[in-house]
Amino acid sequence: MSTSLSTKLIRKTFIKLHSDNKQLDLQILAIKNELDRIRAKYEQDMRNLQTTQEHLNQIEKEIKHFPKDGSK
Amino acid sequence: MKRFGWKKNKTLSNIEAAVTSKTEEIQQLTIENEETKRRLQLHLQASQEEIAASYERIEKALNEDPQKWTLIKQQIQKKSDHQATFFPHLRIGERLLLLGIITAKQLNQSLKEQQIHGGRLGDIVVRLGYVSADQLKQIIDQSFQRLLLGELLVRSGYLSREELDEALHYQESVGGDIGEILVAMGLITPNQLTEALASQNQTGRLITYDKNVVLKAKLPETVARKFKALVIRHSVDQCIIAVESLLNEEELHRLAKIVDAPITQVLASPWEMELLWDQVYQEELLHESTEKLKNEQPENSASQTFTLTQIIVMIVIGIVIAAALMWNWFYTLVFINIIIQLMYFSMTVTKFVMILYGTKENAQIRFSKQQIQSIDERELPMYTILVPMYKESNVIPQLVRNLNRLDYPKNKLDIRLLIEKDDVEAQEVIQSLHLPYSFQMIIIPDGQPKTKPKACNYGLIRARGKYVVIYDAEDRPDPDQLKKVFLAFQQSPDNTACIQAKLNYFNSKQNLLTKFFTQEYSNWFELLLPGIMQMNIPIPLGGTSNHFKTDMLKKLGAWDPYNVTEDADLGIRLYKQEYSTRVVDSRTLEEANSQFRNWIHQRSRWIKGYMQTWLVHMRHPIRLHRELGIKGFWGAQFMLLSSPLLPMLNPIFWSLLIIWYMTHAGWIPAFFPGIIYYLAAVQLILGNFLFIYTNIAGTYWVVHELYRKKENWLSYSLVRYALLTPIYWGMMSIASIKALWQLIRKPFYWEKTEHGFDQERYDTTKSSSL
């Protein structure tokens, strides 16, 4: 009787741990995905900002070298 | 016993240790995520501040030399972009700053506003009162020139000149939109494309939106769908709409009348639109995918299993049989037996005729390699692939590989992975795979019935393809299948609504069950189905790899979400509407069920679906006869009734045979009077032989054809297992009885078939056939 109870308990614990384990795997994957999304968004935003910055640097340079007489 | 217990404990402690370590890992990852988020945010802020400082510096430099600034202003006003040596590619904010119309502070304020609320910078500076609308329009008109999209992307720094040339070269061979090609080639992101398109068209870009505002301002779905537009913000003086492609003047005028405000368009990528649409119109889409057929064609919907008339007819038949049994049970049973024997006999003959038709060379549409190679890819249309799946995340990587192997221009593929809302695992797995942009994950909202056809309907509503096909998650279609179907549609009459590709199994060697299943499918798809099509009777379509013309499918009302064999039902409805279906000589390999319980689940669902379909279409037998014609009507009876009825009746006659052999009881032959005895004997000997023989012939036919094509994923050794087919019939009887029970108790319940049991042992992905 007690052996059967203990087997049942072990089985129950096993199923629970197995399910917990799977849930944790899923959580880890979700966190990693979130990090990927954050990185991708950051890279995209950063690329856009860098392009704008380069563009502005170019404008600054052009202002500096713009001829005083207005010729090309 | 002790050793066993020790092993169990060890396994338990191993799992416990894994759980503890993973819990710690999660804590660690969460901290890291937060830290990374904060760090990246700081980087972005620093860059934004740097840009703001640059504007200030530019303003300062201009202020320091007023004379030069005047000359600069003249230069900017005088020259259009492409002619200028200095300041050739000014954007609107920079132009306004250099012209001295706004200050650097105002510009930075406007950019901040744009970051928070989205919209066009031009509109924002007007709204904030820095510039008048007329002034802005004048500046835009005089200064901007429309550039080619590729050129714009190169100038924006998103693309190198060489990459653009490569894409243009590819466009020459496959046709299609250059933007979509660049995205499909992975050279730019959809965001960059939309940004460039917005810039090219001098319009805004969807940056951000408030979901609550959008929900509050939403148009009726039919209007939104008609204009392919979503309202982002609606005030008295302005209505901002998000569109995938810009509306023309006339459309804008009509929409403005509906919303009673001037319209401003902002561009969104197809992926953003999909997401937005789903957020705003989820309820409407869900309603359409579950209720459309039921509302528009209630006579074709399985939402009601038995009609009142059917129940009354069944009760009457039951009463008549009971009365007859009471009057004379022996004659009644003999009479019933005569009907059954005639039915058996006619079904055997019909099947034999079908197979004869199926062996004809032209029963399937065939194409040579040369014909496939000579297709002008520019003519290929957009193709939608629907992949409904539930709790099958283990096969997703394989699915992606299989679909990536399709020989079809990637810019013309619209692949929709249909994932149920509660299948979080699949959603995370898909996100972690960073799929190409031709793949789109569509989340199917919760709601009853939770069936594959409902998911397909949901995915179909916004499908972009001219043709649409369903694949299951574990499917491995022949790489040239889409091209073959394209050719098949081209060569078929206009009323051809569906092209069915043949299905077979890649794991036939796994066990006896998969061998049986492979034989059955070989027989069905290689001989029977082409034969049925030759005879022109209704066809119960295969569950996957049926390719449709999207418009015709939508006109038909798409799939019945309440029918658990929506494919068989659709075959009948296609026939009713006088559309035709053909079989193409191309295969999709699936995973055969390798586990008995799983097989019973799947088979009982199929049989239940056939019963459901029969009940739906037999609500008005006379009307059905009129709609299908005599051949179609009896063909449908044969196709729909043979699957559930024969396996249910078989055990009775097998039992009679066994009892007779064991006891030679005289009452058994008495049930087979006169000619019925000979008919039953022919049925027993010839009929069973025929069923087994056609299995042998079908399997041999497929294996032989494969060897001729130098493909060897099926072996001749499979043929001999056809001799054991009676075992398979026994299994089918179990499934059919379960199906009948379930039809009464849970008619809409979709018994899930598990996949992915073959993964480790029989991976044929490296086979030459693929």
Side-chain angles (χ1 to χ4, degrees):
Chain A
M1 180 76 177
S2 71
T3 317
S4 154
L5 271 176
S6 127
T7 313
K8 266 187 192 166
L9 190 69
I10 290 177
R11 198 179 153 71
K12 230 174 151 182
T13 317
F14 183 82
I15 292 168
K16 192 186 171 300
L17 282 174
H18 195 72
S19 147
D20 285 355
N21 202 20
K22 211 175 167 198
Q23 276 303 318
L24 289 172
D25 277 336
L26 197 59
Q27 271 187 47
I28 292 173
L29 187 62
I31 295 172
K32 285 181 178 169
N33 278 342
E34 200 201 344
L35 188 61
D36 277 353
R37 278 195 296 274
I38 293 167
R39 285 223 175 96
K41 172 92 176 53
Y42 164 78
E43 276 162 23
Q44 168 92 27
D45 289 349
M46 207 58 189
R47 245 196 323 265
N48 289 350
L49 290 172
Q50 269 165 4
T51 312
T52 307
Q53 187 61 59
E54 280 163 22
H55 192 61
L56 293 180
N57 292 345
Q58 181 64 25
I59 291 174
E60 278 188 80
K61 216 189 282 175
E62 283 172 16
I63 291 172
K64 198 174 167 189
H65 296 110
F66 193 83
K68 292 235 177 191
D69 59 357
S71 66
K72 275 189 183 181
Chain B
M1 185 70 190
K2 257 188 181 173
R3 205 175 141 189
F4 180 65
W6 175 80
K7 260 190 174 177
K8 253 190 194 171
N9 283 339
K10 200 177 171 201
T11 317
L12 268 182
S13 56
N14 279 348
I15 301 179
E16 259 174 346
V19 167
T20 316
S21 104
K22 279 175 191 169
T23 313
E24 281 166 13
E25 191 183 346
I26 286 173
Q27 283 170 351
Q28 188 65 29
L29 280 171
T30 313
I31 295 167
E32 273 174 35
N33 259 16
E34 284 306 315
E35 224 164 81
T36 313
K37 229 192 268 184
R38 203 178 47 82
R39 193 164 38 85
L40 298 183
Q41 193 56 41
L42 284 175
H43 280 185
L44 282 175
Q45 256 176 26
S47 287
Q48 282 159 352
E49 278 163 19
E50 214 173 297
I51 285 171
S54 291
Y55 285 126
E56 304 276 355
R57 273 203 311 276
I58 287 170
E59 189 178 49
K60 196 176 164 204
L62 292 170
N63 278 326
E64 276 169 4
D65 194 341
Q67 194 191 342
K68 195 197 252 183
W69 193 2
T70 312
L71 292 172
I72 288 173
K73 281 182 195 170
Q74 281 168 5
Q75 165 86 18
I76 294 169
Q77 278 167 337
K78 195 168 64 184
K79 304 286 181 188
S80 60
D81 269 348
H82 68 296
Q83 291 168 325
T85 312
F86 286 93
F87 317 113
H89 317 300
L90 292 180
R91 289 181 275 199
I92 187 70
E94 295 147 9
R95 189 170 291 267
L96 291 171
L97 180 69
L98 290 185
L99 286 171
I101 295 170
I102 59 172
T103 63
K105 201 176 162 194
Q106 288 170 331
L107 178 55
N108 284 329
Q109 186 61 39
S110 307
L111 286 168
K112 246 185 205 166
E113 172 80 10
Q114 190 185 34
Q115 255 170 35
I116 299 165
H117 300 296
R120 290 195 297 185
L121 188 69
D123 292 337
I124 294 169
V125 289
V126 172
R127 201 170 61 239
L128 293 178
Y130 301 148
V131 184
S132 73
D134 287 342
Q135 207 176 1
L136 182 75
K137 189 176 179 303
Q138 200 185 346
I139 289 162
I140 289 172
D141 288 347
Q142 81 181 95
S143 51
F144 287 101
Q145 185 177 345
R146 195 183 157 93
L147 290 175
L148 289 173
L149 184 68
E151 194 59 37
L152 201 69
L153 285 159
V154 172
R155 287 194 188 184
S156 306
Y158 294 147
L159 194 66
S160 73
R161 180 74 55 191
E162 292 73 33
E163 286 170 332
L164 176 62
D165 289 342
E166 192 192 338
L168 288 169
H169 184 68
Y170 183 61
Q171 188 189 30
E172 269 174 36
S173 60
V174 302
D177 186 84
I178 186 69
E180 282 183 357
I181 289 176
L182 288 165
V183 172
M185 289 174 81
L187 296 173
I188 56 168
T189 65
N191 272 337
Q192 290 168 336
L193 172 63
T194 312
E195 220 166 85
L197 283 169
S199 169
Q200 186 192 33
N201 291 292
Q202 286 305 305
T203 188
R205 159 91 176 90
L206 177 74
I207 297 175
T208 180
Y209 58 89
D210 183 334
K211 195 182 160 189
N212 293 327
V213 173
V214 175
L215 281 173
K216 221 170 140 190
K218 79 175 187 181
L219 292 167
E221 206 262 341
T222 42
V223 177
R225 197 185 297 186
K226 188 175 160 195
F227 289 95
K228 295 181 182 160
L230 277 157
V231 174
I232 300 299
R233 204 186 311 161
H234 192 181
S235 57
V236 187
D237 58 341
Q238 193 191 32
C239 176
I240 302 177
I241 58 166
V243 286
E244 200 179 306
S245 50
L246 292 173
L247 303 185
N248 61 33
E249 281 302 318
E250 197 205 325
E251 287 168 324
L252 279 176
H253 183 69
R254 274 190 290 143
L255 187 58
K257 263 189 171 173
I258 294 170
V259 298
D260 197 22
I263 305 273
T264 302
Q265 308 186 71
V266 290
L267 274 179
S269 71
W271 294 265
E272 287 166 336
M273 280 302 272
E274 203 67 51
L275 197 71
L276 198 55
W277 209 282
D278 196 55
Q279 284 183 356
V280 179
Y281 293 113
Q282 194 180 81
E283 212 175 292
E284 286 86 345
L285 297 182
L286 184 63
H287 185 263
E288 181 173 335
S289 54
T290 52
E291 305 300 309
K292 189 171 188 268
L293 189 82
K294 189 176 149 190
N295 292 340
E296 290 177 5
Q297 306 169 42
E299 72 282 4
N300 283 329
S301 165
S303 56
Q304 187 185 8
T305 309
F306 299 99
T307 60
L308 183 64
T309 321
Q310 281 175 329
I311 293 170
I312 292 170
V313 169
M314 276 190 277
I315 292 171
V316 170
I317 291 173
I319 292 171
V320 169
I321 292 173
L325 283 169
M326 283 198 301
W327 167 69
N328 189 325
W329 65 270
F330 181 74
Y331 283 133
T332 308
L333 289 179
V334 168
F335 180 71
I336 292 172
N337 187 27
I338 290 170
I339 292 174
I340 292 172
Q341 293 309 319
L342 288 173
M343 192 186 72
Y344 261 120
F345 186 73
S346 61
M347 283 183 176
T348 310
V349 172
T350 314
K351 188 177 177 187
F352 186 66
V353 174
M354 280 175 181
I355 286 172
L356 283 183
Y357 270 102
T359 53
K360 286 184 180 178
E361 182 67 15
N362 64 351
Q364 303 171 26
I365 314 177
R366 297 172 197 274
F367 298 104
S368 65
K369 269 190 181 163
Q370 286 73 23
Q371 282 174 295
I372 302 292
Q373 279 162 0
S374 62
I375 289 175
D376 182 354
E377 291 194 325
R378 286 172 300 182
E379 288 176 13
L380 292 173
M382 182 67 98
Y383 219 118
T384 294
I385 298 175
L386 300 178
V387 191
M389 59 178 104
Y390 186 55
K391 311 262 178 192
E392 291 172 280
S393 47
N394 53 335
V395 291
I396 293 173
Q398 183 63 49
L399 164 78
V400 173
R401 275 197 290 276
N402 294 334
L403 295 183
N404 269 332
R405 266 202 294 264
L406 285 171
D407 173 22
Y408 204 84
K410 299 289 177 273
N411 57 315
K412 294 181 177 182
L413 282 179
D414 168 33
I415 302 173
R416 296 171 166 249
L417 306 177
L418 310 174
I419 313 293
E420 294 289 338
K421 196 178 177 185
D422 63 348
D423 191 359
V424 183
E425 189 174 341
Q427 292 166 31
E428 293 298 344
V429 169
I430 288 172
Q431 281 183 27
S432 71
L433 289 174
H434 303 289
L435 296 178
Y437 293 106
S438 48
F439 287 80
Q440 171 111 33
M441 176 165 63
I442 311 276
I443 311 285
I444 312 297
D446 279 335
Q448 290 303 323
K450 194 173 186 168
T451 57
K452 172 178 161 184
K454 185 195 81 178
C456 289
N457 285 344
Y458 197 90
L460 178 73
I461 294 172
R462 293 187 41 77
R464 298 193 293 146
K466 182 181 177 187
Y467 303 136
V468 59
V469 58
I470 298 181
Y471 289 130
D472 276 349
E474 85 283 6
D475 280 3
R476 299 174 185 177
D478 279 349
D480 58 4
Q481 189 171 108
L482 303 188
K483 283 187 173 174
K484 278 187 176 173
V485 173
F486 166 73
L487 283 182
F489 271 126
Q490 300 283 97
Q491 291 182 7
S492 303
D494 286 348
N495 72 335
T496 308
C498 174
I499 303 282
Q500 171 76 58
K502 301 180 291 183
L503 304 179
N504 218 310
Y505 293 123
F506 53 75
N507 59 332
S508 65
K509 292 175 191 162
Q510 195 172 342
N511 59 28
L512 189 61
L513 185 55
T514 63
K515 285 185 175 71
F516 282 150
F517 218 166
T518 309
Q519 282 171 4
E520 187 192 14
Y521 257 39
S522 300
N523 202 21
W524 177 255
F525 283 99
E526 304 289 335
L527 292 171
L528 266 171
L529 212 57
I532 297 166
M533 290 183 194
Q534 285 289 301
M535 289 171 74
N536 189 24
I537 57 176
I539 298 147
L541 300 171
T544 82
S545 304
N546 26 43
H547 302 248
F548 297 94
K549 286 180 183 162
T550 311
D551 54 346
M552 287 186 178
L553 181 61
K554 284 185 175 175
K555 211 171 133 194
L556 264 173
W559 295 275
D560 181 358
Y562 293 94
N563 194 314
V564 292
T565 47
E566 73 297 342
D567 33 20
D569 168 70
L570 194 56
I572 310 289
R573 283 196 282 128
L574 280 167
Y575 195 90
K576 272 187 182 177
Q577 296 293 321
E578 297 181 1
Y579 287 129
S580 75
T581 303
R582 304 186 73 188
V583 178
V584 69
D585 178 28
S586 172
R587 285 192 192 86
T588 297
L589 297 185
E590 299 195 290
E591 181 198 339
N593 235 317
S594 55
Q595 296 187 347
F596 178 71
R597 266 176 72 94
N598 205 22
W599 183 90
I600 291 285
H601 287 170
Q602 186 186 45
R603 185 52 58 117
S604 58
R605 173 168 60 77
W606 289 355
I607 296 175
K608 180 174 77 174
Y610 272 54
M611 292 194 258
Q612 229 184 357
T613 307
W614 185 82
L615 285 167
V616 166
H617 295 286
M618 282 295 283
R619 284 171 187 164
H620 307 285
I622 297 167
R623 192 200 296 173
L624 185 71
H625 192 277
R626 213 172 37 234
E627 283 173 333
L628 301 181
I630 186 159
K631 195 168 63 168
F633 180 82
W634 288 106
Q637 300 299 324
F638 170 80
M639 296 314 307
L640 295 175
L641 283 179
S642 59
S643 287
L645 222 51
L646 295 187
M648 268 192 267
L649 292 171
N650 282 342
I652 301 170
F653 292 97
W654 293 333
S655 309
L656 282 177
L657 186 69
I658 292 165
I659 295 170
W660 187 81
Y661 270 117
M662 287 168 68
T663 64
H664 286 273
W667 57 269
I668 296 176
F671 278 119
F672 299 85
I675 193 168
I676 296 301
Y677 175 79
Y678 296 101
L679 206 64
V682 168
Q683 178 58 37
L684 174 70
I685 299 161
L686 209 65
N688 283 327
F689 168 77
L690 191 71
F691 275 77
I692 294 174
Y693 178 75
T694 52
N695 251 1
I696 296 174
T699 315
Y700 179 82
W701 180 281
V702 180
V703 180
H704 185 67
E705 200 192 311
L706 288 174
Y707 271 72
R708 226 170 32 149
K709 289 182 185 170
K710 298 188 172 43
E711 293 179 20
N712 54 4
W713 50 269
L714 278 187
S715 149
Y716 277 113
S717 66
L718 184 68
V719 178
R720 63 172 182 257
Y721 290 94
L723 294 169
L724 301 175
T725 306
I727 302 172
Y728 197 54
W729 295 343
M731 289 163 56
M732 280 209 252
S733 294
I734 299 170
S736 61
I737 291 160
K738 181 171 182 256
L740 181 63
W741 180 241
Q742 217 179 58
L743 179 77
I744 299 161
R745 285 176 57 92
K746 291 193 269 186
F748 314 125
Y749 177 60
W750 188 280
E751 197 127 33
K752 171 89 187 89
T753 312
E754 306 264 343
H755 291 294
F757 296 121
D758 71 299
Q759 294 295 301
E760 284 168 22
R761 300 201 296 166
Y762 293 100
D763 190 354
T764 60
T765 50
K766 287 170 193 148
S767 150
S768 57
S769 67
L770 291 164

